[in-house]
Amino acid sequence: MSRASKITLGLATGFCVFTVWGVHYMQWAERESMYQGVLKDEARMAEKRKLQQQREAELQESIRKRAIYEAVQKVESSSSAAPQ
């Protein structure tokens, strides 16, 4: 084998190895990036659930207060008591 063919074979092999390594690295980086998106979505959904539970608790508190006030005071519905 001539010296030029050995150099060509070495360079071609090195290029192929570098290409395969590069593709695997890119796949790994993309997979990590996608996983970070999943983590962000889970955090966003947890925050959303927390806010929903807080709103539900506020609604229940409001309903409880309204029941107490209606028991103490006479309340007329604003929709049925239209001024004439």
Side-chain angles (χ1 to χ4, degrees):
M1 209 192 256
S2 70
R3 183 176 206 179
S5 61
K6 288 179 184 178
I7 292 173
T8 303
L9 179 62
L11 290 175
T13 302
F15 178 75
C16 288
V17 168
F18 179 74
T19 301
V20 169
W21 177 83
V23 168
H24 283 287
Y25 177 77
M26 289 172 54
Q27 288 176 342
W28 174 81
E30 185 176 348
R31 185 171 34 250
E32 285 295 315
S33 174
M34 291 174 70
Y35 183 67
Q36 292 301 318
V38 169
L39 294 178
K40 287 179 185 177
D41 284 346
E42 288 176 352
R44 182 184 50 82
M45 290 171 61
E47 182 67 25
K48 196 173 186 180
R49 280 191 297 271
K50 180 179 163 186
L51 288 173
Q52 182 65 26
Q53 289 172 349
Q54 182 181 5
R55 288 186 194 119
E56 184 68 27
E58 289 173 358
L59 175 63
Q60 294 302 322
E61 180 68 16
S62 176
I63 291 171
R64 185 186 67 78
K65 285 181 181 179
R66 181 180 175 122
I68 291 171
Y69 294 147
E70 286 179 349
V72 174
Q73 302 173 1
K74 180 180 177 186
V75 179
E76 292 184 13
S77 175
S78 61
S79 61
S80 64
Q84 294 181 1

